[in-house]
Amino acid sequence: MSIDLLEGTPAAPPRDNGELVFSEPWQARAFGLAADLVDGGHFTWDEFRDHLIEAIAGWEQASGCGEAAEPWDYYRCWLTALEHAVGERGLLSGDAVADRAAAYASRPAGHDH
Amino acid sequence: MHDDHGHGHHHGEHDHGRHAASSPGVRVEALEDLLVERGLADRERIDATIQRFEDDIGPMIGARLVAEAWADAGLRRRLLSEADAVVAEMDIRGAEIEHIEVKANEPGVHNVVVCTLCSCYPWALLGLPPNWYKSPEYRARVVREPRAVLAEMGLHLEADTELRVWDSSSETRFLVLPERPVGTEGWSVERLVELVTRDSMIGVAHAADPGGQ
């Protein structure tokens, strides 16, 4: 089994008792981006953790109330926490992120080839 | 000619078609690009961090610590009383951001680790946690009914074994020091390391059976 998680990076050995550390590339980016913002002093791991706890609790409440919750996805909670941390620190406005995401979502397939 | 163009840029799922703006791949890409454009994040540092957690940081670091503690009673005592100092001396990268406590299994006492609120874990010693550790089921149930959860995971403890569940936090991360398997007397640290599984250092398994080596 070999999965190229990142361009230019050799396929990582499944060190984690056979479990890949990240199952999709975006999970790795979300992890690395949070770590980089912590390293850069934009927020601390403790602050990030508070957002993560909130995101996970939000999922669990929605799930426990029998609403149509998203299936459990840890890194979606991580991403939500990252967006909240970035917003709380005023690093980016929510509008700027939403506009960019909308622009990327409307790209034609194969746009970068 | 433009060898550096797009270096480190990720080519993710969007290559294969259109995705909603709410899809996680698109959201992460938007965040990353905007933060990089504003000079708040650095793509090559992100690449390096990801690679470090995929290739260099993992249970083999904790396994060495455990094997050395099995082989050296003095180190074992220190690991149980001042793990941070021992880890610092071993020059384990990233350990400075974590306060680590080591809990030893012994006859009649078994330790197991959880993070009930999120996913706190001794990254520097074990890497990133496995999916089951982060799951709502494990986080909720191992506190309420640890014996049943461990049995489901294949670890059957004696009825009179005391079970201690340690809830991690941003302040404290826990590592379990599993019992050294019988039949490993005189083994070198190099051989012992092979018996120390990730799951045994979380407390959901014993160290591997030396007969299986």
Side-chain angles (χ1 to χ4, degrees):
Chain A
M1 172 161 106
S2 93
I3 296 178
D4 286 310
L5 291 172
L6 283 171
E7 189 180 51
T9 304
R15 284 285 183 82
D16 208 10
N17 286 13
E19 197 174 328
L20 288 164
V21 179
F22 303 107
S23 59
E24 294 181 60
W26 69 264
Q27 299 177 348
R29 300 316 295 180
F31 173 78
L33 188 51
D36 199 44
L37 293 172
V38 169
D39 284 348
H42 297 294
F43 47 79
T44 65
W45 277 126
D46 273 4
E47 288 163 344
F48 181 80
R49 179 179 185 267
D50 289 340
H51 289 292
L52 183 58
I53 289 171
E54 196 184 335
I56 290 172
W59 181 90
E60 286 174 349
Q61 268 167 9
S63 161
C65 294
E67 291 167 27
E70 297 269 319
W72 168 249
D73 184 333
Y74 172 78
Y75 275 104
R76 276 186 187 251
C77 293
W78 182 283
L79 174 56
T80 299
L82 177 59
E83 288 168 339
H84 289 172
V86 164
E88 185 182 71
R89 286 289 163 184
L91 303 180
L92 298 174
S93 77
D95 285 350
V97 179
D99 289 351
R100 183 65 66 95
Y104 286 170
S106 64
R107 285 175 303 205
H111 66 97
D112 53 359
H113 293 292
Chain B
M1 168 132 212
H2 296 288
D3 282 343
D4 60 341
H5 176 71
H7 175 76
H9 190 78
H10 50 112
H11 295 262
E13 54 180 312
H14 59 258
D15 292 359
H16 306 293
R18 296 168 68 142
H19 287 268
S22 60
S23 85
V26 167
R27 284 158 64 193
V28 173
E29 191 183 5
L31 269 181
E32 177 176 335
D33 287 355
L34 286 165
L35 289 163
V36 167
E37 286 162 20
R38 283 161 171 70
L40 300 170
D42 183 282
R43 230 185 283 285
E44 290 187 22
R45 282 201 314 255
I46 296 171
D47 292 346
T49 298
I50 293 169
Q51 191 169 6
R52 200 153 54 84
F53 275 89
E54 285 178 336
D55 296 345
D56 303 335
I57 303 181
M60 58 280 187
I61 297 172
R64 166 146 297 261
L65 201 57
V66 167
E68 294 198 4
W70 281 348
D72 178 344
L75 181 71
R76 177 193 156 93
R77 270 193 300 278
R78 290 194 58 223
L79 194 58
L80 296 179
S81 61
E82 44 171 4
D84 289 337
V86 173
V87 166
E89 284 162 24
M90 293 188 139
D91 209 20
I92 293 173
R93 194 172 164 192
E96 64 281 354
I97 63 165
E98 298 175 343
H99 168 56
I100 292 163
E101 288 189 19
V102 178
K103 303 295 177 186
N105 289 343
E106 39 198 271
V109 177
H110 185 89
N111 298 279
V112 62
V113 179
V114 66
C115 174
T116 53
L117 291 179
C118 52
S119 49
C120 295
Y121 191 73
W123 285 2
L125 301 179
L126 298 183
L128 294 175
N131 287 327
W132 59 259
Y133 183 85
K134 300 177 287 194
S135 72
E137 294 79 10
Y138 178 77
R139 291 186 294 106
R141 289 188 57 219
V142 80
V143 176
R144 280 203 314 266
E145 41 176 354
R147 207 170 289 271
V149 171
L150 293 182
E152 285 168 27
M153 296 177 86
L155 178 62
H156 300 275
L157 298 170
E158 301 289 330
D160 59 353
T161 296
E162 182 193 340
L163 245 170
R164 297 176 184 162
V165 181
W166 300 92
D167 191 0
S168 313
S169 67
S170 59
E171 290 78 35
T172 307
R173 315 292 168 101
F174 297 98
L175 184 85
V176 174
L177 179 61
E179 285 188 88
R180 178 172 175 164
V182 292
T184 59
E185 293 72 23
W187 281 34
S188 67
V189 168
E190 309 310 321
R191 279 183 83 193
L192 290 171
V193 164
E194 300 297 318
L195 302 178
V196 188
T197 62
R198 178 197 66 197
D199 289 358
S200 74
M201 293 182 280
I202 307 175
V204 298
H206 292 305
D209 175 3
Q213 289 295 299

